[in-house]
């Protein structure tokens, strides 16, 4: 706890976050009544070491390597003067839901025991990476980029860095300097981070310091040791309710939740309150965006009193529906099964 508090700058009140080592997961009840985006005060933080304090006046983003004809450095002001784009996108840790391998599938996976709160959706503004790469003279034979963070080296692996293929870099990656209309907060990568829509959170390098552009495939411990063989995020759903929430018998409720997928838009969400025997289509509301989430709701007047497991299962536009169990993953990535969310219904 002490250590976690020192690794993250923003306040982590217990009603919004559950703290794990150097990281903090959002409690899903903190999304209840919120708009489309996750407010910064409750957006999860995943740090390998701790949030650095970077002076934007001396900071530079260096683009270098054999894949560029005009390598160079960019200042914070130069980046902000370039053409910008705004996107709504989720960032989600590959290990989001890892705890459920143990609690739900009785086969625990090692690592940070995230519930479902290792995700957030923000409005990001910045320079399309495509634009910067063209500006720096991207060569046709460029293959991989290696964006690297300025936070302290992680154990003996050096700075946090993970190869990014040129195809994705030229597609929809953002070099972001704004989050929900504000300068990027320190914990989320100030002054500048990558936002890599649909991909595992580790691709979205925070506190970006340099990008190497190579004409061959690159590796780093973050694609050979950690987060190996994970690229995009699976389909998931969550209720905007506390774990073990208490509802009153006989009272009409509107249950709210959100579903998301790294592969495309969510097209259908069904909810079961009887352990998966029957499923009821949830209604969508709000925006229906790729690489973000779909908010939904369903009415329910719980009766009789007792213990329940709420289940939500989503289908994305590629036709993938959340399964009832997820194949075990040794590092606990990619938990995509329907989550059994325990609640109790009590007499009013
Ligand atoms: N430089 C750097 N970038 C990083 C990390 C880090 O520790 N250092 N953590 C990564 C991981 S594992 C995730 S899930 C996301 C989390 O982003 P957030 O803390 O803004 O929610 O940042 C990624 N980018
Ligand atoms: Mo992550």
């Amino acid at each position: 706890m002490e250590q976690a508090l020192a690794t993250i700058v923003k306040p982590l009140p217990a009603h919004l976050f559950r703290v794990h080592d150097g990281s903090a997961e959002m409690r899903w009840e903190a999304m209840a009544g919120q708009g489309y985006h996750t407010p910064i005060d409750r957006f999860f933080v995943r740090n390998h070491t701790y949030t650095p304090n970077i002076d934007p006046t001396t900071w530079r983003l260096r683009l270098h390597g054999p894949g560029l004809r005009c390598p160079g450095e960019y200042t914070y002001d130069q980046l902000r003067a370039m053409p910008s784009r705004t996107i709504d996108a989720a960032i989600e840790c590959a290990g989001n839901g890892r705890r459920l391998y143990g609690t739900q599938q009785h086969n625990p996976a090692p690592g940070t025991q995230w519930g479902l709160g290792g995700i957030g959706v923000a409005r990001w503004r910045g320079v399309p990476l495509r634009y910067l790469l063209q500006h720096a003279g991207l060569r046709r034979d460029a293959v991989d980029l290696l964006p690297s963070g300025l936070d302290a080296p992680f154990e003996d692996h050096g700075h946090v860095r993970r190869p990014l293929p040129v195809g994705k870099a030229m597609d929809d990656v953002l070099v972001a300097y704004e989050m929900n209309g504000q300068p990027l907060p320190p914990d989320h990568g100030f002054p500048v981070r990558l936002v890599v829509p649909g991909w595992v959170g580790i691709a979205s390098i925070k506190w970006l310091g340099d990008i190497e552009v190579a004409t061959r495939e690159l590796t780093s411990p973050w694609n050979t040791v950690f987060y190996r063989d994970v690229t995009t995020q699976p389909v998931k759903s969550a209720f905007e309710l506390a774990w073990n929430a208490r509802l009153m018998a006989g009272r009409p409720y509107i249950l709210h939740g959100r579903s998301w997928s790294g592969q495309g838009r969510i097209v259908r969400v069904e909810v079961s309150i009887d352990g998966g025997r029957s499923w009821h289509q949830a209604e969508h509301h709000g925006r229906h965006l790729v690489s973000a989430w779909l908010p939904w709701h369903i009415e329910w007047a719980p009766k009789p009193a007792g213990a329940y497991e709420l289940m939500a299962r989503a289908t994305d536009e590629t036709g993938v529906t959340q399964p009832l169990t997820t194949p075990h993953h040794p590092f606990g990535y990619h938990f995509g099964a329907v989550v059994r969310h325990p609640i109790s219904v009590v007499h009013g």
Side-chain angles (χ1 to χ4, degrees):
M1 193 74 178
E2 291 272 305
Q3 191 211 347
L5 293 178
T7 68
I8 295 174
V9 171
K10 70 182 178 185
L12 302 172
H15 69 287
L16 299 180
F17 291 102
R18 183 179 295 125
V19 175
H20 308 271
D21 306 324
S23 300
E25 102 167 87
M26 183 193 72
R27 293 184 186 274
W28 261 95
E29 60 270 37
M31 282 312 293
Q34 299 297 323
Y36 191 76
H37 302 100
T38 310
I40 289 167
D41 69 359
R42 58 205 68 192
F43 202 102
F44 86 102
V45 181
R46 160 68 167 114
N47 283 351
H48 280 72
T49 59
Y50 51 86
T51 295
N53 184 2
I54 296 174
D55 177 354
T57 62
T58 54
W59 173 89
R60 300 285 182 272
L61 175 60
R62 199 159 64 88
L63 266 69
H64 60 104
L68 297 176
R69 275 182 280 104
C70 339
E73 289 190 345
Y74 298 84
T75 68
Y76 188 52
D77 288 343
Q78 281 171 330
L79 283 182
R80 285 186 308 166
M82 285 180 169
S84 73
R85 232 197 116 201
T86 300
I87 59 171
D88 292 317
I91 289 185
E92 182 181 19
C93 192
N96 194 26
R98 181 182 282 128
R99 182 159 57 94
L100 296 153
Y101 279 109
T103 58
Q104 190 168 303
Q105 300 194 169
H106 312 295
N107 193 0
T112 302
Q113 295 299 302
W114 301 97
L116 275 180
I119 176 157
V121 167
R123 171 157 292 179
W124 311 96
R125 177 160 167 255
V127 183
L129 181 54
R130 181 192 326 112
Y131 180 86
L132 265 187
L133 290 172
Q134 281 162 349
H135 196 265
L138 183 73
R139 290 171 45 122
R140 297 179 70 96
D141 57 352
V143 173
D144 263 352
L145 279 61
L146 190 61
S148 177
L150 292 168
D151 41 339
F154 176 63
E155 296 171 353
D156 54 0
H157 301 290
H159 288 289
V160 176
R161 63 202 188 283
R162 168 161 164 123
L164 179 70
V166 100
K168 181 67 172 173
M170 293 296 284
D171 179 12
D172 58 358
V173 176
L174 202 62
V175 179
Y177 48 75
E178 250 183 50
M179 179 178 187
N180 294 346
Q182 294 180 36
L184 215 54
D187 297 312
H188 299 291
F190 182 82
V192 163
R193 79 175 304 163
L194 289 187
V195 176
V196 183
W199 286 31
V200 285
I202 185 61
S204 293
I205 294 291
K206 304 194 276 189
W207 313 297
L208 192 61
D210 78 276
I211 303 179
E212 175 189 341
V213 183
T215 51
R216 58 184 176 85
E217 276 190 25
L218 296 174
T219 59
S220 89
W222 283 271
N223 72 336
T224 58
V225 183
F226 321 114
Y227 304 106
R228 190 178 160 165
D229 301 325
V230 287
T231 303
T232 59
Q233 291 288 96
V235 188
K236 292 189 197 172
S237 301
F239 288 92
E240 296 170 9
L241 276 177
W243 207 249
N244 298 314
R246 290 156 76 92
L247 306 189
M248 305 279 219
R251 265 237 228 136
Y253 283 92
I254 300 177
L255 303 177
H256 289 265
R258 304 181 191 231
S259 300
W260 61 97
S261 162
Q263 312 275 3
R265 285 177 184 77
I266 297 296
V267 295
R268 188 169 68 248
V269 182
E270 298 154 291
V271 170
S272 175
I273 43 97
D274 57 7
R277 278 183 292 278
S278 64
W279 293 90
H280 310 274
Q281 192 128 344
E283 285 179 56
H284 318 156
H285 54 94
R287 275 162 287 183
H288 198 190
L289 302 175
V290 71
S291 307
W293 51 27
L294 177 69
W296 46 260
H297 65 266
I298 193 162
E299 289 177 29
W300 185 41
K303 214 167 53 172
Y308 289 75
E309 284 179 336
L310 301 180
M311 298 162 78
R313 84 173 169 204
T315 302
D316 73 12
E317 62 187 333
T318 71
V320 173
T321 298
Q322 291 181 256
L324 289 174
T325 55
T326 297
H328 191 69
H329 188 289
F331 299 109
Y333 302 136
H334 272 184
F335 188 91
V338 174
V339 172
R340 295 171 170 271
H341 186 132
I343 61 155
S344 51
V345 172
V346 297
H347 290 293

